Amino acid sequence: MPDELTPKPGEARPGTDSGLAGAEIEPILTVPPVVGAPKPHPILVVDDLTRSFGGLRAVDVDHLEVERGVVTALIGPNGAGKTTLFNQLTGFDRADTGRWSFDGQPVSSPSPDQLARKGMIRTFQLTKSLAKLSVLDNVLLGAPGQVGERLSAAPFRSRWQGQEEANVEQAEELLHRFNLAHMRDELAGTLSGGQRKLLEVARALMADPVMIMLDEPMAGVNPALAQSLMRHITELAFEGLTVVFIEHAMDVVTGISDWVVVLAQGRIIAEGPPWKVIHDDEVIDAYLGRRRAGAGS
Amino acid sequence: MAFDIIFGNAARAAFGPEAVILALAAVGLNVHFGFTGLLNFGQVGFLLLGAYGTSVSVATFGWSLWVGILVGLVLSVALAVAFGLPTLRLHVVMFAIVTIAAAEIIRILIGSTDAIGLTGGPLSVSFDAEAFYDLNPYPDGPHDRYGVGTFEFTGQQMWVITVGWVLVALVSLVVFLIVRSPWGRVLKSIREDEDATRSLGKNVFSYKMQALIIGGVIGGMGGVVDAIKTSGADPNGFRPQVTFFAYTALLLGGAATYVGPILGAILFWFLREWIESFLRQLSAEAWLPSTVADFLDGAEGVISVAMVGLSLVLLMLFRPQGITGSRTEMQLDAR
C-alpha cells in the first residue's frame, strides 16, 4: 500500500468511515448552525471543559462536537482561548474540568504522547522543527510503531532496516508533496520559516493521524506558500482525514473550511458553515467590538 | 629544558588509567548531554557508586571482585532511577541542580565518620584487586617496563590500560549502534524539542530515563576502573570537579560525536600533564627569578588546571563545536 500514489492519510483505518471522504461531506450541511449542535459522525466530543488562569477563565466550553472527515476551523480574536483549548484537547495542558471522547473512546487525564498514538496529531503555532536533525529525519520521527525505537532492537540494524526503508520511501513522498524534496539532507534549522511550517505538517502526516490539529498553520507564511498550504489542507480532508485548524484571520477560513467554530473570551459564540458564520452579528461584534449596541439596533 | 621528559609525562597521562576513567565518564555524559540534552551535573555520582560499590563489596563484605563490579554497576542504575524519577519531568535547569546536589550528598555521606564501618568514611577504603591482576598477561617483574623514556608503564599499569581502552572502544561501539538507530533519533529529537517529540507519540520520559541509565552505567564503569587502578576508593576523589572535567573533555572533543569524548579525554590529560610538567621543569631553571620560582613551586597542578580552563574558554571562542564537532550544527544555535 505504501507504493500507491495516494499517501497514507487517505487509507481506511479502524474507526474511520472511509465512505465519508470527498464528495460525501454533505451530512455536515444538514447540521443547524447552532452552538453545541450534534454532528452526524463526531470524532471528537467535548463536554463542560474549563480552564482558568487565576481569575481569568480562558476556556469554558459546554458542548462541542467535531465532525469526522471535514475541515473545521477554530477562529476567534486574539486571546480568545483557541490555543489554550487546543492544548487541553491534545493533553499539553491539564483542563480544570471537562470530559471528552476521541474516536469513540473516552479520554481521561490524557498525555500528549498517548493521544498522539491514538491518532490525534497536532502542530504548533511557533514551529518546532528539530533544528539539528536532517529534514528527512524530522519526517521519519513521525512514523508510528517503529521497531527500531525500542532499545532492545536498536543495536541490531537488521531488525529495523526493512521498516526504516519503507518509512524513508513514505517520507520522501511527503517531502515531495510539500516541495521539500530538494532539502532532504539539509539540517532542518536551515529552513525558512515557511518551509518549517510545511515540514511540520509533513511530519504530522507521517504519524498516520486520524485527526490533525494545526495551530495557525498560515501565520508568518508568505501568501503563495499559504495558498499551497491551504490546498494541501483541503486535499487532506478529501482523503478522509479530519482537520481542525486555528486561524485568527476570518477571510482565510472561508475558502477551505467546511465548518467554523468561533471562540471569544473562552466561550464558543457561534458555529456553522463559513458563509453563515461570517455574517453572524455576534461574531462581527466579537471581532469589531459592540458598535451596534450604540446604534440602537 | 628537557622537553622529551615533558612530552613523555604528558603522553603517559594521555593514555594512562586516568584518561580511561575520564573517557568513560565523558562517553556516558555524551549520552546524557550530547545526544539527549540532559544537563547532568552529577556524573561524578555514577563514578563514585561504581568505585565504592566495587570496593565496599570486596573490602567490607568479602565478596569476589566480579560480584563487586556488578554491584557497582547495579548501584549506578539505581542512582539513575533515583535521579530520574523525581526530576526528569521538571525543567532542564532543575535537573542540573538536583544532580549536582545529589552527587555531593552521596559523597559526603560516604565520607562521613558515621560510615567508617561500611565505606571507610574519610579514611577511604582499600581492597586487594588480585583477581583482576591474576589475569595480567604482561610480565610484571620489578624491572619490566613498557614504553620509551618517561612514557612508560609497569606491567600492572599496562594491563589496566589495555582492558580500560578496550572497554572504552566497546562501550563507544555500543553507543554508536544504538544512537544511529531510530531510538537514537528519538533521543536527538528530545534534545531539540521535547514537546514536538511528545506530539508525535513518543514517551519522552521513558526515553530520557533509558538515556540516563545507559550514560550512568558507562560512568559507573569509569568508577570501577578507578577502584581497580587504585585498589580502593577515597571520597576526595569524587568531588564535583570530576563532572566538570568530564564536560571539558566532552566539549573539547566535540559533543554528540562518537570519538569526541574519547579524543577529548586524551587531550585533556595530555594538556594538563604537559603544562604541569613544563612548569615543574621551568621552576627548576636557574635563570628564573626566585620570586617566580617560589610562586610556581608546588602550584604547578593548580596552574595547569587553570590553563586547561583557559584553553576551554579559547576553544569556545574559536572552535565551539570542539575538535570533531560540526560547525554548521553549532551555528544553528546562534539563530
Side-chain angles (χ1 to χ4, degrees), chain A residues 117 146 148-149 157 164 189, chain B residues 180 183 185 201 207 335:
Chain A
R117 286 196 291 273
Q146 295 189 52
E149 285 184 356
R157 188 176 215 159
E164 179 82 352
Chain B
R180 69 154 181 187
W183 183 83
R185 185 161 61 215
Y207 282 97
R335 287 191 163 209

Side-chain angles (χ1 to χ4, degrees), chain A residues 149-166:
Chain A
E149 285 184 356
R150 287 204 301 270
L151 185 54
S152 55
F156 312 107
R157 188 176 215 159
S158 57
R159 291 191 48 192
W160 47 264
Q161 197 168 15
Q163 191 188 29
E164 179 82 352
E165 279 163 7

Side-chain angles (χ1 to χ4, degrees), chain A residues 86-135:
Chain A
F86 245 44
N87 285 344
Q88 324 277 291
L89 296 179
T90 51
F92 277 85
D93 185 18
R94 288 257 182 274
D96 296 334
T97 65
R99 304 181 304 281
W100 62 97
S101 71
F102 172 65
D103 212 5
Q105 292 172 328
V107 179
S108 55
S109 68
S111 80
D113 48 306
Q114 279 170 355
L115 282 169
R117 286 196 291 273
K118 286 181 181 172
M120 185 198 273
I121 302 289
R122 73 166 299 177
T123 66
F124 296 87
Q125 187 174 357
L126 300 169
T127 49
K128 294 183 181 294
S129 59
L130 310 164
K132 287 184 209 163
L133 266 64
S134 75
V135 168

Side-chain angles (χ1 to χ4, degrees), chain B residues 29 39-47 79 83 96 99-100 103 243 247:
Chain B
L29 202 55
L39 205 53
N40 171 18
F41 278 147
Q43 183 69 349
V44 66
F46 293 105
L47 278 86
L79 181 65
F83 270 178
T99 50
I100 193 171
T243 300
Y247 267 104

Side-chain angles (χ1 to χ4, degrees), chain A residues 50-59 96:
Chain A
T50 61
R51 178 75 169 106
S52 302
F53 298 111
L56 178 78
R57 182 152 277 201
V59 171
D96 296 334

